[in-house]
Structure formats: structure tokens, C-alpha cells
């Protein structure tokens, strides 16, 4: 989807404004309409703050209605295909559109339990989570009291809105809603960046097979041309980087064991801050390696 | 099986000697009988050398008969249950008794091809190999000429004999037929050996799921009570060590991410020298680690 | 010294041009004058290439005169204060203006020997070398034959010219005559860049005490605000980085030994490529560290 | 000095016993005489415990006399050559016999101050300390109150006695009074222990030049034949290990920089537990290295 320029929004009509931003808050275009009056916005940050103020300024009843306007996660609306375009894309990003029957049943039960306790749907900014993490959040938040949970739900609504806004509007600034996951490989055997190493990034769910998210080749700097993940929150989840170092060393003039001591090197780690920068490098020789969370 | 003391063999009758060692060479007790005359043996090494000399001193016809006395790998004898006790144990050690129908067919075809080319069964000291490695050897040796291959087969026969001898006879010395695979974990965060970390050792075949070979807990020295593999050749294969470091750091007074950056750490490497010492340590903090082939 | 813009040189008179660049080649303004005719120059690189062509196009006699126009290293001209401004600055950069009587004598003897053998002064681009490295070059080049050595001397003359040019003229491009030496510190104990660590860079001559070249404090990224050395060739020499990690960890809530295991960490390494990028990071816990030549 | 066997002490006369052990407590043979009655001792540990009990069982007056029987550190007795043989050896182990005039004056002043405050000489088990550490202890203990300090002094008297006992008497057990400092070098470039690397161990005093304590060459296991320090307490002090890795890599078939990136590698660390095991290994490639406190 092409982004719309902030300048254009500042200069446009109220209807254009609401057409562009009305669905930043699920089924609640009134919030965009209220914010229109505050134009012009000097930055995307200022626009977001106006939207946050509009939500915080709502009465409690209005806020509850806003929360209730959200669909269940992996719920009936998803199955029936009646989600908003945003919700559909978000839920599929976390793989919630590909649950097994068992998982669907588990989500259904948790949704029921949550609605029964709090009277609202379970809302979470799914782009910030992997499937295991969503289930963990479900469990954790079911233990909250109602007041705490209303606050938590509103926080998630604002996270969702910030992400939608950041993806929809272009400006000279960005909202701090995205993280980055990158790597680089240093060949400490030759004292040079390791060029030409195939790298895979996978998510490793607690059950079920790992899923490849990105593939890349290291360049002359030992880096991949672009970060493995960027311009998005890095979902809270377990990941594995896999480096094909056997083929790399095989092209060098080095005496190796047969089979070589190191062939595919897996690095497994978890992301806990979706907006963080995760740089996970590999320092490599044919006989050993190091890794660490870098910066 | 209890070992028999070298002293006892030195002092015993020829029949006792042949009863004990007759099957060190497959279906060829004559070799043990020939060696009996050379008693007494000052060491297991001396006994083995006498046996090797007996084989090397055979005529070419005798040697070919010795080679032909061996069963096929994963062949009809294995299926029919007519292997010698030694061969049965050896073939099952490499998982050759648990092949899928496809794999059985592949072995069958290779056996046929090999017999047709060389007129002898394919002989390999299977205790030194994982399944992938045996297939690789098959491919590699099918490319040999007949003279080279007869030599190679004889080398394998002697490796098999050395292993059988080392397991059967106790003496003050051992034959250099065994390797060792060990690990230890150093907590570089606290400057101490890491105690209480659960470690798993698995083989990682090219196809099919990894198989757990050993489980252990690190002790106050950061080591496992005994090596993960010892007193045997370490089969040529790919391995993975898995360290449960998440639960370890959770018991310390440390600020960790949630989920922790490191939880299960996999180290993947291959063994190329079955008689080698593979010490693969883990130097650990909550945010990074190193490994290398140590000594 | 303020740089002069390439555009201005392109637009100026021949006299201005020669006034600005006449001493890029020692006592040989005729080369600049010859190059003036080739204006305009689209880049600094193009200007340098024109100057190089002018030198390469000289007759052998002219080239020998150019070589002979250079002063001795640490020679009488230096003592008498009759060096050109450029030569004076260059020789002092390598500490050649601060030799002990013994060292002066050694240089004097080498100069004599060299002049006697080759009939020209010993020329080396001293900004690319530490004092030990200059002496090593002296020894090495005294072993050359005359033809090889004339070529080597000319190469040095061009290196000197390129450096003078790069420092004197501003353009959109730079000549590839400079290197960089930098560091950063990662605290693998807390998974964060280490902020507030005092870092010193010293040269470590073979004899005599180390000399501090730069001091800096690591910032929130674990880096120093600017590279420790940049915008210059990194002299071929031995260096030591010193990191005050004791005071850093003392401010953290960590149980340390008393005295702490690590206090000042020295990293010693040599630079061999003056135009290279030397990134020498420190990965740190209170009980261990790693370093490597990074990129 | 040859050790005397515990058995012999158990079987010998009271006079022999006192002749052998009378000076374990400075100028106080009565303690050994009192302990003689408790024979036989099943172990060196039991003998030490009897001696400790004898001291703890003394009246306060006797204990103060015992403390007062000790000489000043680096005091007049040392200068006049009237120390007991034990005290002389101990003080010289910490270099207290080689103080500059300034340092002697500083010790003299601290001695005076201490005696004035507590009425006893400053007693410390000097074999457990370097010179800087003794001065630090002096400062620290001058801040104590009298009761705390009498206890501290008695603890030091017992440490001195344990060390003298352990060095004088042979038995099947040893007292836990000694530490160990060792290293090994692993060449992660070739996956093998690094053989033939020259290693130096130095103490690095706060002022004054480092002093070489030990020199060794790594063997085929990458270790030195024996620990660099053992069979003694490791004095609390700063140390530096220096590894000559340039010459090592020069013998290998490796493309190195000229000069090589790594030549002499210094590892600097402090010992805080004289009875501890300090294993400080070096994991090495031509372009980087790691170290850590190992086990």
C-alpha cells in the first residue's frame, strides 16, 4: 500500500483525512475526525500524539466501546472472513490464520474465558508477538484484575494504532515502533569479513517445525545487504540463525577435517523487545565460534 | 560381557584361547589358533600385533576367504537373523537394524554393485561410522580399483578385530581404538564453572530426526561426571550438544530479558576421527557464548 | 592550514596554481606548472593522476633530480632547520625530530650508506611509518639493486605527494591515502554496549616508553565519539589499547573479587596497512574478554 | 629444606618435636611443647588443628605476648639482620627486603602508627600478598578497632603457622594453604593445542617495573609442563601473562600481515584468593583471541 504524505493530510479536507486514517482505530473513525481539527501536524509524532490524546480524552464508556469494537484473535470473524483489512493482515502476520484445529480450539476457549471475565475481547498488538508469545500473554493477562486489564488493553490499542499510522503516512520522522534484526560474520581465521556465507533466519515455535523468515548471503563486509528483519516490530519469539560455513571454508586454502568440524552453525536466541535492535554476529574459525547480542 | 584377563589367556589351553578369541576374525578361528603358539603376550598391544601379523602372513587366497567370510551390511543375513553375535551388535550400533524399506533397498543395491565389482562383501568397521558416513564410504570405495579396495577391506577387518579384542580382553594396556567426547560449561558472567546445566548429546542424521545419545548434568566443575561418549570409537557423524542455560540463569540473581535472550543453546559439529578426543566446551554469559574444539 | 577548493584552483591563474601546489613535489614547482595546462580537473583523483603522469613522463635525469631534491631523514637539514615546511611536519610526525644522540647517529650512518650506494637520499613517506618501521625499511631497501630502488623511491615520492594534495585541496572526493583506527566495547555481562569506559591508545616502540596518542570515553553505543585515529595514514607500528574496566564494573551491581580480576585490559597489535581500517573491539565480562580485528 | 615425616614426629621425643616445630609460632616454642601431648596425629590437618586449639586456648595475655613476639614488617630487625629464618624468608618473598628508601620510610611510618594505636606489631601472612596488597591491608586494618584487630592479627598468625607447617612436615595430606596459577594456549585457527609458545608470568606492581616470576614453553597439549605457580599461596597482586605468538604463527603455513597483527599478547589480571586455582587460558587465531578465568 502506498503511503500518503503528511503534508497532503495537513492540506486536505476532513473527509480525505478520515478516509485515510479512519480505521487506525478499529471501527472508530470518530477519533480521526476529532483529530482533524488539530491540524497542521509538524511531524508524524505530533499526529500520533494527537490521536493518543483523543483516546485518553474519551469517557470510560467510549473507551469500552472502542475496545469492544475489536475482533477476537483467531475468532469467528477471522473464520468468517469479516475482519477489517488491517486486522486480517495483522492476525495473519502472527500465523493466526493457519492454526490447527487444536490450536483454534485453545484460542476459542481462551477468548471465551477472557470475555467472560472482562466483558471485552482480548486485544494484543499481534505484530509484536509470535504465536507462543500471544498465548503466554493471554495466560498472563487473564490473571489481571479488571482495571489493570482495561489499561493494558488500551495500551495495545495505541500500539496497534501507532503501527498502522507509521505504515500509512510518510513524513520526515518515523514512530519508534520498529525493530531490527541483523547479523554479520567475521572470519577470525583470516582476519577479514566472511563473504559469501548463506544465512537463514527462522522462527522456532515451541511446537511444530521452524519457519524460514529470510535468506541472505553475506557481502564483502560480512554483512547482509539489508537487515534480516527491519521496518517492522520484531515479534517476541525464539529465532534461529543458520550459517552455512562448511561450503565457505571449503573454498579457502585450508586443511579441514573430513567431514569438517563445523558445517551449519545454528545460533538460537529470543527477542523480548520488538522495538529493539538485535545484532547477532558470528565470529568464526574452522574450529570454533563466538556470538553475542551486539549493538 | 565380562572381559577375560590376558594372564588367563597366556596360561590357558589352546582350546580356551580359541574359544575366547576365535571369532575376533569373522568365521576364521584358525587365526587365533595360529597366534596361540606365540604366547605369552606381555600386553594387549603385543597380542594384537601377533594377530595382525597372522593376517598379513596369510596367502592372498586365504585373505580373500577371510574377506568373503563377512556378511553384507544390512543384508539378508541381518534380516534372517543369522549374523554372528559380534556382527549383530556392530550393525545395530550404527542403526543398520532399523532401516526404512527405502534405505534397505539402497543398501541392497550398493551391496550388489560392490560384490559385482570386487567379488567380496563390502566390509567397514561400522562402530567407527554413523549411517550417513557408511553410505559415503560405500560411494567412495566403489570408485577404487580392486587392489586398493582389497587393501582397504583388510584394514577394516583389522579395525574390527582390534575393537573386538579391546572389548574382550583386560590387560594393563588398552588398544588405541577408542575416542572421547566431552564438554564443560564455564559461566564467564560469574567467573565460575556453571553447575547444574542439563546437557544433551544427539546425533543429527542428514535425514530423519536427531537421536539422543546421552543426557547429563554439569557438576561443580562445570563438567559432566563422565565423558558423554567414551570407551568406544566416536562414530564419524554430525552431533549436536544442547545446553539448557535458561533455567540455569533463572536461578541466579541476574536481570534477564523475558523471554531470556539465550535459553537452549545448540552446538553442532562433526566428528572425523573416531579415535580422537573431542572436547567441546561452552563459555557462557546470559548474552553470548563461545565454543571451540578444545583438548 | 585551510584547504583550498578544487573549483578555485580550476578557475585561478597559473601563478595561483603553482603557489598552491608547487611544493607538493619537494623543491620541484615545475611539475605543478606542467599540470596546470590540463585543467579543469573534475575531481581530486583526476588532479592527482595528472601529477602522477607528469612525474612518470619526466626523463630519467629529471626524475633523479626530483629524488635528489629531497632532504635526508633526520639529517643535517633537519638539525639546521632548513627543511621545507612539509618535510618538517612529516619528519616530526614520526618523531624524527626527537631522536636521542644514538638514534641520530644510527640514522646518519644509514643515510651515508644509502647515499653512497644509490647516489640519492633515502626517501620514504614517513607519515605511513613509526620509527621502528622506518629503520626496518632502511635495512630492507639497502638490500635492493639500483633500478629497483629508484622505482621504490619514486613510489614514495608519489605517496608523499598524494598525502600533501589530500590535505591541501578540498573536493567532493578524497584520495585513498588515509586509514582509521577505532574500537568499541560490548558488555556481554549485561548484553549492552559498555558506556563510560576510559580508553587510551598508545604506540609501543621497540625501545623506549609507550606514547599516548589518544584518549577517549566510550559513549552509549560503546564507541568513542570519533575514531581514535582517522583522516591520516595509520603509521606502521605496534599499538596498545588500554581499557579501564575496573572502574566501569565497580559502578554496577555486581559481586566482584577484591582486587577485581580485570582492571586495566591492554590489547596489543600492529598495523601493517596505513590505509586500512583497524577496528579492534573488546567483548567484556568481569571474568574474561575477547578481541579481534573487526571491520 | 627437607621435610620431616609426620610419622617420625609422632614417634619421636618431646625435644625432637619442639626442635622441629618450635618456631612454627614466632619465638613461642611453648605452643609446640603443649601440642606434643596430643600425639599421635593421624594427619597433617589434625596436627594443625591441635596447634590452632593451643593458640585459641591461651589466655588473652599469652595471646598478646604471642603477637608481640612478631617482628615489624620491613622494620629494624629486618635491617639489622636479626629476623628468625622463617620471617626472613617470608619478608623477602614479598620483596620487603628490597624496598627503596622512600618505601622503607612509608613502612616505618605505618608500623609506628599501628603500634601506637594497637600496642602490637602489624602482623600479616606476607606470603599471601604482593607489596601493594600489604600496603592496602595496612591502610585497611589501621581503620579497625582494637578487638577486631586482635582477632585479625591472630588469624594471620595462624595462617603463617599453617604455611610453615605445610612446608616443614610431610604427610599423606596437605593443608589447604596453596593456590595454583596455570595457562594453556589453544590455536583455534588450526583446531589444535598451540605447541612451542613462549610464556612469561610477571607481577605488575603499581609503581616500578614488572618482575618476571616464571618462564615456560607450551607443550603438545598447549600447556606448560607444570603450573606457572604452585605449591605456594598465589600472592594477592596484579599479574601479566605474555605470550609470544608472532614467532609461533611465523612457523606455520599462514598468510600473515607484516608486521603480524598479533605478536606479543599480554593478559593482565589480579589474584584475590591466594588459595584459589587461577587458570587463565588463551584461545588464539592470528587475528584475535579470548581469555577468561577458567577452572
Amino acid at each position: 500500500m502506498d503511503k500518503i504524505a503528511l503534508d497532503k493530510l495537513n492540506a486536505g479536507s476532513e473527509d480525505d483525512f478520515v478516509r485515510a486514517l479512519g480505521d487506525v482505530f478499529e471501527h472508530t473513525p470518530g477519533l480521526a475526525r476529532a483529530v482533524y481539527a488539530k491540524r497542521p501536524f509538524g511531524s508524524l509524532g505530533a499526529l500520533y500524539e494527537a490521536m493518543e490524546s483523543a483516546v485518553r480524552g474519551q469517557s470510560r464508556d467510549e473507551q469500552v466501546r472502542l475496545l469492544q469494537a475489536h475482533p477476537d484473535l483467531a475468532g469467528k470473524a477471522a473464520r468468517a472472513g469479516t475482519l477489517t483489512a488491517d486486522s486480517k493482515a495483522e492476525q495473519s502476520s502472527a500465523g493466526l490464520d493457519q492454526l490447527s484445529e487444536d490450536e483454534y480450539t485453545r484460542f476459542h476457549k481462551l477468548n471465551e474465558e477472557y470475555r467472560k471475565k472482562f466483558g471485552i475481547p482480548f486485544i494484543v498488538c499481534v505484530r509484536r508477538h509470535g504465536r507462543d508469545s500471544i498465548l503466554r500473554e493471554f495466560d498472563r493477562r487473564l490473571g489481571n484484575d479488571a482495571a489493570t486489564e482495561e489499561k493494558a488493553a488500551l495500551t495495545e490499542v495505541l500500539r496497534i494504532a501507532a503501527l498502522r499510522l507509521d505504515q500509512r503516512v510518510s513524513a520526515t520522522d518515523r514512530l519508534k515502533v520498529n525493530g531490527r534484526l541483523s547479523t554479520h560474520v567475521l572470519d577470525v581465521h583470516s582476519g577479514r569479513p566472511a563473504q559469501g556465507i548463506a544465512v537463514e533466519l527462522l522462527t522456532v515455535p515451541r511446537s511444530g517445525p521452524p519457519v524460514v523468515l529470510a535468506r541472505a548471503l553475506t557481502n564483502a563486509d560480512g554483512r547482509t545487504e539489508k537487515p534480516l528483519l527491519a521496518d517492522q516490530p520484531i515479534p517476541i519469539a525464539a529465532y534461529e540463525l543458520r550459517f552455512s560455513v562448511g561450503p565457505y571454508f571449503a573454498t579457502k586454502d585450508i586443511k579441514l577435517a573430513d567431514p569438517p568440524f563445523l558445517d551449519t552453525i545454528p545460533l538460537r536466541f529470543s527477542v523480548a523487545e520488538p522495538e529493539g535492535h538485535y545484532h547477532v554476529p558470528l565470529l568464526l574459525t574452522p574450529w570454533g565460534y563466538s556470538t553475542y547480542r551486539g549493538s
Side-chain angles (χ1 to χ4, degrees), chain A residues 199-269:
Chain A
V199 184
E200 280 184 348
L201 173 71
L202 307 94
T203 36
V204 184
R206 197 169 287 272
S207 65
V211 178
V212 176
L213 299 181
R215 286 198 175 85
L217 213 63
T218 57
N219 61 21
D221 283 336
R223 300 175 191 275
T224 57
E225 280 312 320
K226 28 175 221 169
L228 295 164
L229 294 181
D231 205 27
Q232 62 166 84
I234 313 302
I236 298 172
Y239 295 87
E240 190 167 298
L241 281 165
R242 290 188 190 155
F243 301 86
S244 289
V245 306
Y248 168 78
F249 281 123
T251 66
K252 311 286 170 203
D253 185 24
I254 300 175
K255 212 180 122 190
L256 297 169
D258 179 23
F261 185 62
L262 297 174
D263 186 8
T264 296
I265 295 181
L267 302 182
R268 201 173 293 174
F269 58 92

Side-chain angles (χ1 to χ4, degrees), chain A residues 72-83 104 108 111-112:
Chain A
D72 281 344
L73 281 189
K76 279 178 201 153
R79 290 226 152 172
T82 62
L83 290 178
Y104 176 78
H108 183 70
N111 276 325
E112 293 284 291

Side-chain angles (χ1 to χ4, degrees), chain A residues 5-228:
Chain A
L6 181 59
D7 289 350
K8 219 168 157 184
L9 287 174
N10 276 330
S13 72
E14 183 174 333
D15 279 357
D16 287 347
F17 193 87
V18 175
R19 204 169 301 122
L21 304 183
D23 48 6
V24 161
F25 292 101
E26 191 82 358
H27 293 305
T28 313
L31 282 161
R33 197 167 298 276
V35 159
Y36 179 72
K38 312 283 186 184
R39 286 169 320 141
F41 300 103
S43 66
L44 191 54
L47 170 55
Y48 170 75
E49 273 170 39
M51 289 200 137
E52 179 171 353
S53 291
V55 170
R56 302 253 182 238
Q58 286 183 309
S59 69
R60 194 188 159 251
D61 277 3
E62 286 171 321
Q63 288 182 344
V64 169
R65 264 199 302 281
L66 171 59
L67 299 178
Q68 283 171 338
H70 285 75
D72 281 344
L73 281 189
K76 279 178 201 153
R79 290 226 152 172
T82 62
L83 290 178
T84 61
D86 285 310
S87 281
K88 188 164 159 12
E90 287 156 7
Q91 295 207 13
S92 89
S93 81
L96 299 185
D97 57 344
Q98 294 181 349
L99 299 180
S100 67
E101 205 56 33
D102 273 10
E103 290 170 318
Y104 176 78
T105 307
R106 182 159 175 212
F107 267 96
H108 183 70
K109 240 183 86 185
L110 285 165
N111 276 325
E112 293 284 291
E113 200 179 336
Y114 185 94
R115 267 191 189 276
K116 198 169 146 194
K117 176 159 184 190
F118 297 115
I120 51 173
F122 176 69
I123 304 172
V124 67
C125 178
V126 291
R127 285 204 192 273
R128 300 178 74 251
H129 295 273
R131 209 185 308 173
D132 294 328
S133 173
I134 290 174
L135 289 169
R136 223 167 51 128
E137 282 292 285
F138 235 141
D139 276 344
R140 199 178 57 74
R141 283 171 53 188
L142 269 167
N144 282 346
D145 60 43
T148 306
E149 190 47 29
E150 253 171 52
K151 229 184 253 176
L154 218 55
T155 298
E156 296 297 318
V157 165
L158 287 164
R159 282 175 166 159
I160 294 167
L163 270 169
R164 291 179 179 177
L165 212 54
D166 188 71
Q167 284 173 3
R168 197 156 304 175
V169 181
S170 64
T172 51
D173 63 326
R174 297 288 302 264
L175 301 180
K176 293 195 191 320
V177 292
N178 297 320
R180 196 171 61 208
L181 198 162
S182 60
T183 188
H184 85 272
V185 189
L186 198 80
D187 176 350
V188 196
H189 180 271
S190 68
R192 275 194 298 266
Q195 181 172 14
I197 289 191
V199 184
E200 280 184 348
L201 173 71
L202 307 94
T203 36
V204 184
R206 197 169 287 272
S207 65
V211 178
V212 176
L213 299 181
R215 286 198 175 85
L217 213 63
T218 57
N219 61 21
D221 283 336
R223 300 175 191 275
T224 57
E225 280 312 320
K226 28 175 221 169
L228 295 164

